Amino acid sequence: MSALTIAGVTAASPLRMLDVRSPWLERRLELPLSEADVAAVRSTGAKLGAYYHWYLQKLVIADAIKQLDREQATRLIAQVDHTDYAGVVDAVRRSDTGVLIAIPHHAHYVLSMTALAARLGKHTTVNVFYGQPATHKGNAVFDHLHEVLFSDPACGVNVIHDTRQGLVKAIKGLKNGEVVVIMPDAAQDEDATLMIPFCGRLMDAMLGTATLARKTGAWILPVLSRIHGRGLGFRTEFGERIDYPIAHAAELDPEQTRIADYGVMRQVFSQFEAVMQDELYLWQNVRKYLTSSPTGGLAPKDELSSLLSAIETDPLFGSPDLVLDLR
Amino acid sequence: MDLDVADDGKWAFILPTTAPIGDWFRRVGAVRPPVIGRADIKGNTRATDLLCVAGAVDAPRRVVIHTDQLCRASEATVRIDLADQQVFLSPVEMILNTKYNYSLLVWTAGGLREVPADSRLKDIAAVLVEHLRDCATLGAEWLERDRQIERTLSHRRRLGRRKLRYLRSSVASAFADHPTVDAASTYLANIGTLEAAFAAADTA
């Protein structure tokens, strides 16, 4: 079944050259696009057909994951994985501290995370950290994959959800020199984020990955999933190691700490951006990001004072002239 | 359309922004009454300019107000607490009515509603709220439909928080390599004060 499916995706690869809308395809792919979505996809430089083909791949993967047993899933992943793991395995094995693998929801990130966790799990305990399916519906796939592939404790791979208990477990694991896989491009609470320039716009980014590094002494390894070839192939690419830049971070006040955390996250997203900007259509958040996030950049240092003054006098922050209660 | 009423007093007509009304204004040209609305629409008179002359002996006897165009924080500054939400209205209709003796003739789905000069502020606000709700029944014909969110408190709070996050992010970005310098602390203290005041307003 898997081989047929891979063959099907490969056979459909000429679809990538298509650049007109196909309502029929959108129905088949369960991909209802608005005009704004179409414009967003095209603004990435990708043809609409490439986006359709990418969605076909996602559907096939999601379908396969639901149906395969452990042996079949392992074989499928091995068949489509074109990653060179030698460097990362060596770096993790030799690490004196915990390691935070930061991977965005880009391309075949589910396969990349799974294959990487399986490799590293042979050498150290790997904790895959993500939103619980009860609140993040799409993440049920991780729970299912874990159940299929990693239910044997000997695999060395655990799933932890982003609950308070999960956070405690992640911190404890990192302090013990374990690996935590985390997806930093997910943000549930906009008000808890800061804006980071990313691909010509401003992304609402949580600082949690940097916070974990600061609290545990772990270093961060930005990782990206890339598509490989015309079928379901993927390749996991590893970025430059990021160490928390301030040795005595505990001496910083909370505001200074937040700025330092921000600087770390900016480095993480800068590494992502270097690759993702040329294939942004493969990012799970692409449509929402390109249709609703603010364009432009942040204010430079020499404009901060005037920006602060403008906000202080902005009527948005003033009190109403009058309040009338009509309840 | 005729703005004549059987009364020699001063009248303000509250009308929705639709293409037919816009066409009518273009047809009547120079004899049209002052039209109060968004500053970025050609031919509109600013509310503050009208208020400067509203008490004069030669004040315009007829004015048109597109209440639906006055949504922004700089224009709509009177907060109305309703059962289901909090919205902001422009004060111009209330000032004209209570200070300068303008009667209001307000378009609603059920016909024109008259609000006599020097009415209670709550009565004026209630009719204006009804007017805006009824404008929604015009569907796509209502040209200001998509801008009405700007008069809601929830939208303004969201926008305000976003502006503060933008400022905080800009400071973080500017000082990310040197988070302990005094200038960063000064900015953050000011932002903290603004955030606290803004958060307090949420519960006011």
Side-chain angles (χ1 to χ4, degrees), chain B residues 34-180:
Chain B
V35 177
I36 313 302
R38 266 162 51 198
D40 57 341
I41 294 182
K42 193 181 170 191
N44 274 358
T45 301
R46 288 155 52 98
T48 46
D49 291 341
L50 175 69
L51 293 176
C52 287
V53 299
V57 287
D58 58 347
R61 316 298 292 173
R62 307 282 182 268
V63 298
V64 171
I65 304 175
H66 285 307
T67 298
D68 57 352
Q69 291 181 15
L70 306 172
C71 309
R72 292 180 180 162
S74 57
E75 302 158 336
T77 55
V78 177
R79 197 181 84 202
I80 311 298
D81 293 349
L82 303 169
D84 56 343
Q85 63 174 339
Q86 291 164 302
V87 298
F88 288 86
L89 296 176
S90 159
V92 66
E93 300 88 342
M94 299 177 199
I95 296 173
L96 287 176
N97 180 273
T98 58
K99 188 171 179 187
Y100 297 116
N101 289 313
Y102 278 80
S103 301
L104 307 180
L105 208 52
V106 183
W107 179 89
T108 69
L112 292 173
R113 294 272 304 276
E114 183 181 336
V115 182
D118 203 21
S119 289
R120 292 171 62 230
L121 292 176
K122 282 189 175 183
D123 293 340
I124 301 170
V127 176
L128 294 177
V129 167
E130 184 185 351
H131 163 74
L132 290 170
R133 283 191 171 149
D134 286 0
C135 284
T137 64
L138 297 170
E141 283 182 48
W142 187 25
L143 302 179
E144 294 293 309
R145 184 175 59 170
D146 295 341
R147 294 184 67 245
Q148 297 309 306
I149 191 170
E150 293 180 37
R151 69 170 77 253
T152 63
L153 179 67
S154 56
H155 175 80
R156 291 190 184 180
R157 305 313 291 177
R158 196 162 51 245
L159 204 60
R161 287 196 299 271
R162 178 170 279 204
K163 284 192 178 190
L164 288 169
R165 271 194 313 114
Y166 177 80
L167 177 59
R168 187 175 273 284
S169 304
S170 296
V171 171
S173 177
F175 296 98
D177 297 329
H178 306 285
T180 56

